[in-house]
Amino acid sequence: MKKIVAVLSATLMSMSLGMAAYAGETEASTEASVDFSAVKTVVDGQLTVGTEAGFAPYEYLVGDQVEGVDIDISQAIADKLGVKLVVQNMDFDGALAAVQQGKVDIVAAGVSVSPDREKVMDFSDKYVDSSDVIVVNAASPAVKESSADALKDLTVGVQQGNIADLWVSNPDNASPKSVQRYTKFAQAATDLANSKIDCIVMDKVPAEELVKSSDGKLAIVDGDPVFEDSYAIALQKGNDQMKSAVNVVIEELKKSGEMDQIFASHAESAETEAETEASTEA
């Protein structure tokens, strides 16, 4: 019996070591299959990233510096490629157009993956799931429940080109009276606080930051998300080398736990942009 137990233990240990070795070989082979030195960029020696720095905590301004979750991910990609990171802050629509035209290497701006977008650009692996909510004027909320039906006959604010814009504008999803499009959420927040629009539909995490910086003027409607989606890095259609390199970095950040650390590091520091923009617009 002792011999049988010993043989079984030895066999299990061998299998465990074999599986670990296989996993290590698989991870190594995945990275080895990407020749980072061969990945071409729009400008030699730099990774040009398009973003819109009004979507905290994913991207926001600290002074003139763009910071955020997406910027840290982009820096990790640039480091892997051995190039300098250059961030171009532009309108969200403009950033998506720029990557399609090959003017920037990637767009890291809380970009939602959708079938329509996949027709004109490529996407990396998803790195976070998101939930979209309804933000209202806290003193006189025009919406009392978190649902598509609750948006009926209302003026809904969205960021132009954002997935919420596409979702709200689709009559199969909602039937608002009108959709008011903004280049920055801070502009929408100011109009909502002044009762110029009825509500805003946006991602929950930036919405929490927007509400937090509103001095009690705004609130998120309680309930389930209006809809859910996922974020990924946008790339020019057919840029397979860059896509493979980005996917390796995303996978490494997830496996090492660094992705969680990146999100945690920006959880409490993203109010600056919203407060600055709100005070400027006011």
Side-chain angles (χ1 to χ4, degrees):
M1 180 63 70
K2 290 182 179 178
K3 288 183 179 180
I4 292 173
V5 171
V7 170
L8 286 172
S9 298
T11 302
L12 289 171
M13 183 176 294
S14 177
M15 289 174 62
S16 177
L17 291 171
M19 290 174 66
Y22 175 76
E25 288 172 4
T26 302
E27 184 174 345
S29 63
T30 300
E31 183 169 344
S33 67
V34 179
D35 184 358
F36 293 97
S37 64
V39 178
K40 298 185 183 301
T41 55
V42 173
V43 178
D44 288 342
Q46 73 179 47
L47 178 71
T48 308
V49 179
T51 195
E52 191 281 300
F55 198 56
Y58 294 97
E59 38 273 327
Y60 54 95
L61 287 172
V62 176
D64 294 330
Q65 188 75 24
V66 183
E67 298 185 6
V69 170
D70 284 326
I71 307 308
D72 286 358
I73 294 173
S74 299
Q75 184 64 65
I77 297 168
D79 291 344
K80 198 72 175 180
L81 296 175
V83 297
K84 177 184 177 183
L85 177 66
V86 174
V87 179
Q88 292 188 4
N89 185 18
M90 57 185 79
D91 289 346
F92 186 77
D93 268 355
L96 294 183
V99 78
Q100 292 176 58
Q101 296 162 6
K103 295 180 179 179
V104 299
D105 295 301
I106 62 174
V107 173
V111 184
S112 300
V113 181
S114 71
D116 285 342
R117 286 177 177 168
E118 287 179 314
K119 294 176 183 176
V120 294
M121 65 188 82
D122 283 342
F123 287 95
S124 70
D125 293 338
K126 300 168 185 177
Y127 60 89
V128 67
D129 294 324
S130 70
S131 302
D132 281 65
V133 298
I134 301 173
V135 181
V136 293
N137 184 308
S140 55
V143 181
K144 300 295 177 64
E145 65 177 44
S146 181
S147 70
D149 290 341
L151 302 176
K152 185 177 180 179
D153 298 330
L154 299 182
T155 300
V156 181
V158 295
Q159 183 185 57
Q160 183 170 321
N162 184 278
I163 195 68
D165 181 3
L166 304 180
W167 189 89
V168 171
S169 301
N170 185 338
D172 291 335
N173 298 326
S175 53
K177 179 175 68 176
S178 62
V179 179
Q180 184 67 41
R181 296 174 176 86
Y182 300 86
T183 56
K184 295 183 182 297
F185 279 113
Q187 299 165 339
T190 299
D191 277 0
L192 180 57
N194 293 325
S195 299
K196 293 182 179 180
I197 59 176
D198 295 311
C199 64
I200 304 170
V201 175
M202 61 185 295
D203 179 275
K204 181 180 180 181
V205 178
E208 289 172 341
E209 297 298 338
L210 201 67
V211 168
K212 196 184 298 181
S213 64
S214 72
D215 294 327
K217 296 177 182 177
L218 306 181
I220 296 174
V221 178
D222 291 334
D224 294 332
V226 183
F227 69 95
E228 296 180 327
D229 62 315
S230 301
Y231 293 161
I233 303 296
L235 309 98
Q236 187 178 35
K237 199 75 173 172
N239 193 352
D240 295 335
Q241 279 190 323
M242 181 66 76
K243 180 178 178 178
S244 296
V246 170
N247 283 341
V248 167
V249 174
I250 289 174
E251 185 65 18
E252 288 181 349
L253 292 175
K254 286 181 176 179
K255 285 185 175 180
S256 67
E258 191 174 347
M259 186 71 80
D260 291 335
Q261 294 173 15
I262 288 173
F263 274 90
S265 69
H266 293 284
E268 297 299 327
S269 60
E271 294 180 34
T272 304
E273 189 272 345
E275 290 175 346
T276 302
E277 290 289 345
S279 61
T280 300
E281 292 300 323

